[in-house]
Amino acid sequence: MRWYDSHARDLPWRVSPQARADGAHPDPYRIWLSEVMLQQTTVAAVRAYYHRFTTLWPTVGDLAAAPDAEVMGEWAGLGYYARARNLLKCARVVTDTHGGMFPQTRDGLMQLPGIGPYTAAAIAAIAFERPEVVVDGNVERVMARLFDIHSPLPAAKPELTRAAADLTPDDRPGDYAQGVMDLGATVCTPRSPACGICPWMDVCAARAASTAAELPRKTPKKAKPTRFGHAYVARRIDGAYLLEERPAKGLLGGMLGWPGSDWNEDPAPAPPLPADWHMIDAEARHTFTHFHLRLRVLVADVGQDAVPETGTFHPIHSFRPAHLPTVMRKVFDLARSEFDNA
Ligand code: SF4
């Protein structure tokens, strides 16, 4: 804790140890928002989104009242879009059912949409000072090294969690959780741990055994398969683009996208409207958690009276490419340069 008091990272959602000692309290809304954004995502990627969300919606009630499309649009590019849908659901449950106050316990938090065991423990510890065991990838690495645990992940998770639980204090559990995360992020880093400046250097078993750099061990992951698909980009003569809202369930659920295939088939599906479609000589490539995707892109200029079988035309003044998920933005970038060069 002495190390954390002088080395805590300066994060926009965090109350510094000094401010906390002076009586400041973290805002549970901001802790929750940051923890949801940080799921599978780096601090560097989250900062700008967190700033925009808290500027647009400073309280959980403000977020609960926001239109779905606006929130989904602001989330675009951050990935794992089920998080955005659950974020809204959760904000509305907290506002409508809990009077705008987050539950303070891990079990209470886990009743809310989009909050699993890790996120519930993190919010309970950081926002409400509950002595919960918070174990993310950083903490797993530090525990594996501190106790020189060689069992491979993910099977080693329970063992690493037990080690973390043994160390979690009743006093300042939130700062402790953040301290171990910071240690993993800044000192006990994956490739070259800086043992020489580590507050645990004298007691670290992996340092003593010179095994730190090879820990934690991991069971090799299976190679990701590649899926293929097609995307149709139609531009109307007034500059409007044809987009469709993807089904609420499934990958990119609820986000705007280009009409096309469901990424399971090779032959091009029927276009969303008859036109002189032209296939671009380049693919939009994107990697999701479980597969690589390669999309062939077809473009067409269509008349003002074009009637699509699927989707709606979005006028140029209201179409914001930044509100598209990353893979759809890649498609748009290819289509736009094709239109520009035509
Ligand atoms: Fe990590 Fe080295 Fe510290 Fe051990 S001494 S916890 S390996 S940085």
Side-chain angles (χ1 to χ4, degrees):
M1 297 314 300
R2 277 199 302 279
W3 177 84
Y4 180 69
D5 285 345
S6 52
H7 292 86
R9 283 180 294 173
D10 185 14
L11 301 174
W13 45 85
R14 180 177 278 180
V15 171
S16 70
Q18 290 74 18
R20 204 185 269 247
D22 291 341
H25 293 286
D27 176 352
Y29 166 62
R30 287 167 189 245
I31 299 300
W32 162 73
L33 182 63
S34 66
E35 286 298 336
V36 174
M37 287 182 164
L38 287 164
Q39 291 166 2
Q40 324 273 349
T41 311
T42 62
V43 166
V46 162
R47 276 180 191 272
Y49 284 85
Y50 173 83
H51 181 67
R52 245 192 346 267
F53 269 64
T54 48
T55 303
L56 287 168
W57 304 296
T59 69
V60 68
D62 296 324
L63 181 61
D68 290 32
E70 206 175 313
V71 174
M72 299 305 285
E74 290 298 337
W75 192 276
L78 204 50
Y80 299 95
Y81 295 97
R83 291 185 298 171
R85 295 195 297 281
N86 282 327
L87 191 81
L88 258 178
K89 275 191 213 154
C90 183
R92 289 171 183 161
V93 171
V94 169
T95 304
D96 299 340
T97 314
H98 297 274
M101 312 284 279
F102 280 83
Q104 299 198 5
T105 62
R106 180 177 177 273
D107 289 349
L109 287 157
M110 278 183 64
Q111 304 301 315
L112 296 172
I115 300 190
Y118 167 76
T119 305
I123 299 170
I126 297 169
F128 299 115
E129 286 294 342
R130 303 268 166 168
E132 295 292 349
V133 185
V134 184
V135 184
D136 69 355
N138 281 320
V139 177
E140 283 174 350
R141 183 171 60 256
V142 175
M143 291 302 130
R145 290 172 175 172
L146 189 58
F147 296 101
D148 200 28
I149 294 170
H150 287 241
S151 339
L153 282 165
K157 274 177 189 286
E159 192 179 356
L160 297 172
T161 301
R162 275 197 302 279
D166 286 345
L167 292 176
T168 300
D170 288 332
D171 184 36
R172 299 177 66 196
D175 279 352
Y176 171 77
Q178 295 177 98
V180 184
M181 286 182 206
D182 283 15
L183 188 70
T186 62
V187 176
C188 194
T189 52
R191 290 215 181 85
S192 42
C195 302
I197 56 166
C198 178
W200 274 338
M201 60 188 285
D202 291 336
V203 292
C204 178
R207 178 171 183 262
S210 300
T211 52
E214 62 200 67
L215 296 177
R217 294 197 194 282
K218 292 183 181 166
T219 304
K221 287 185 183 154
K222 281 194 209 135
K224 291 183 190 189
T226 300
R227 286 161 68 172
F228 299 87
H230 293 81
Y232 288 98
V233 181
R235 182 177 66 171
R236 208 166 57 185
I237 206 155
D238 64 352
Y241 283 99
L242 179 63
L243 289 153
E244 64 179 8
E245 190 174 311
R246 295 180 59 83
K249 288 223 159 74
L251 213 55
L252 312 182
M255 299 297 292
L256 278 181
W258 308 104
S261 65
D262 59 6
W263 311 341
N264 275 323
E265 71 217 275
D266 208 12
L273 76 180
D276 184 14
W277 290 100
H278 159 68
M279 190 175 283
I280 293 178
D281 191 22
E283 290 176 334
R285 296 185 178 198
H286 192 69
T287 296
F288 291 97
T289 314
H290 299 298
F291 65 96
H292 303 290
L293 178 65
R294 290 165 61 174
L295 285 181
R296 302 306 309 267
V297 181
L298 296 97
V299 298
D301 277 309
V302 299
Q304 196 65 23
D305 53 356
V307 180
E309 284 174 24
T310 177
T312 49
F313 279 99
H314 287 239
I316 190 73
H317 63 267
S318 65
F319 170 54
R320 292 172 64 187
H323 278 188
L324 296 173
T326 305
V327 62
M328 297 298 172
R329 209 151 64 211
K330 289 177 180 173
V331 169
F332 177 66
D333 290 343
L334 286 174
R336 186 168 48 184
S337 55
E338 189 74 10
F339 284 130
D340 289 348
N341 294 331

